[in-house]
Amino acid sequence: MRTLTSILYGLILCALFILAVKLNAPNVPDDMALIPAGDGVDAFYMDMYEVTNAQYRKFIDANPQWQKGKALTSIVSDGYLSGWKGNMYPKGKANHPVVNISWFAAKAYAEWAGKELPTEAQWEKAARGSLEGKKYPWGNAKPRKRANYNRYTPRTSFKNPPTKAVGSYAPNEYGLYDMAGNVEEWCLERLDVDDIHGRYHRMRGGSWFSGATAIQIAERSQHPVNDSMGTLGFRCVLPKTETMTTEVAIDVAAWLSDEMCGQFDRAFYSVSKGYTALANLDAKLADIVMYNTGYPRTFEKELIRVLREVGPEGIEDMPYGEPTIYHDLILRLWRLYLEVHFKHSNENIFQKLRYFKARVTENIDDVILSDGC
């Protein structure tokens, strides 16, 4: 009897110990791994796997504005989801990483999932673990059968590339898969805020296309923010501490208005030099607006109408006919409207204009008094 009592007592202590461990263990989100603090990076969670086609399908089902054929080419490129047929990913590739995704689309997915794209520091910390100075997530041994890399041949399709299902290779010490090879992964940071050739963001990890050197942890590359490739995907992080990053709706609106500003300037310059006939200028400007916003240029009348409703006395007398003044002003209105358009994409046009009216009212001084676009 004494032996049985001792056994029961021991079982109770074991159960209490296990319960205490569970209660004190971090509550790690599903399919994410806890990356401890270190190397100047706070602790955070990272997706164990690259975002898959099936996961991205759920995102576009919930957010039709990001579906193939509906997303603005100006922010996703002509190659967006090029291997998909409508809203269906390639057959048999549900658990393969989604590719042909621009940075804007990846950022939008991350926000929808309640997450974020990783910074370069977070990505490298997660990939390297405690292997300081090592080449790969597993050490210095050659990749061989440890990663999906060096798969390009002249017959390779970038629309339906030779990716592998996520988790096909052994994970690193944090339980993360494919931190080397399979697809390169978008990072949060811009390459250079003053890059005269456009806006680029960092990518890490190498891909199925890369050679053994290019999938090393320390390797870095970059790509235009609004473009996509069959070698490029992403995964997300969830910081344990609150972060302050720009919402994708505000970021896209600012980027598009800056793009239109440059394109308008080039159109005016072309006319001033005689390269483009003045009679063709309006058609050129209409093309710029449609490409960057998805709206006909006639919609600008609605933006001006709202401005006249909420603007100060005398706003109706502004010289809208003077090209430079008019286009500087209209681009600032487009920026506010596009913020609303992307943030409230499921609302109808009338509700969007109500939100836009509120945004103009809040920012009327910036709209009227700002210098240039």
Short mmCIF file of all heavy atoms in Angstrom, two decimals, residues 66 211 277 290 293 357 373:
data_model
loop_
_atom_site.label_atom_id
_atom_site.label_comp_id
_atom_site.label_asym_id
_atom_site.label_seq_id
_atom_site.Cartn_x
_atom_site.Cartn_y
_atom_site.Cartn_z
N TRP A 66 -6.77 42.53 -54.26
CA TRP A 66 -5.44 41.97 -54.48
C TRP A 66 -5.48 40.72 -55.36
O TRP A 66 -4.47 40.03 -55.52
CB TRP A 66 -4.76 41.66 -53.15
CG TRP A 66 -4.39 42.89 -52.39
CD1 TRP A 66 -5.06 43.43 -51.33
CD2 TRP A 66 -3.28 43.76 -52.65
NE1 TRP A 66 -4.44 44.58 -50.92
CE2 TRP A 66 -3.33 44.81 -51.71
CE3 TRP A 66 -2.25 43.76 -53.58
CZ2 TRP A 66 -2.40 45.84 -51.67
CZ3 TRP A 66 -1.31 44.78 -53.56
CH2 TRP A 66 -1.39 45.81 -52.61
N GLY A 211 22.86 29.85 -56.93
CA GLY A 211 23.94 28.92 -56.68
C GLY A 211 24.22 28.80 -55.20
O GLY A 211 23.61 29.49 -54.36
N ALA A 277 3.30 66.52 -78.83
CA ALA A 277 2.42 67.61 -79.23
C ALA A 277 1.52 68.02 -78.07
O ALA A 277 1.04 67.16 -77.32
CB ALA A 277 1.58 67.19 -80.42
N MET A 290 -4.95 56.73 -65.01
CA MET A 290 -5.59 55.41 -65.06
C MET A 290 -4.63 54.31 -64.63
O MET A 290 -4.99 53.42 -63.86
CB MET A 290 -6.10 55.13 -66.47
CG MET A 290 -6.72 53.74 -66.65
SD MET A 290 -8.12 53.41 -65.55
CE MET A 290 -9.43 54.29 -66.43
N THR A 293 -3.93 54.72 -60.68
CA THR A 293 -5.04 54.73 -59.73
C THR A 293 -6.15 53.75 -60.06
O THR A 293 -6.91 53.36 -59.17
CB THR A 293 -5.68 56.14 -59.64
OG1 THR A 293 -6.39 56.43 -60.86
CG2 THR A 293 -4.62 57.21 -59.40
N LYS A 357 -13.67 62.96 -47.80
CA LYS A 357 -14.06 64.29 -47.34
C LYS A 357 -13.52 64.56 -45.94
O LYS A 357 -13.00 65.65 -45.65
CB LYS A 357 -15.58 64.44 -47.37
CG LYS A 357 -16.09 65.84 -47.01
CD LYS A 357 -17.60 65.90 -47.19
CE LYS A 357 -18.12 67.30 -46.89
NZ LYS A 357 -19.60 67.38 -47.09
N CYS A 373 4.43 68.84 -55.50
CA CYS A 373 3.78 67.55 -55.26
C CYS A 373 4.73 66.58 -54.60
O CYS A 373 4.35 65.49 -54.28
CB CYS A 373 3.25 66.97 -56.58
SG CYS A 373 4.52 66.71 -57.82
#
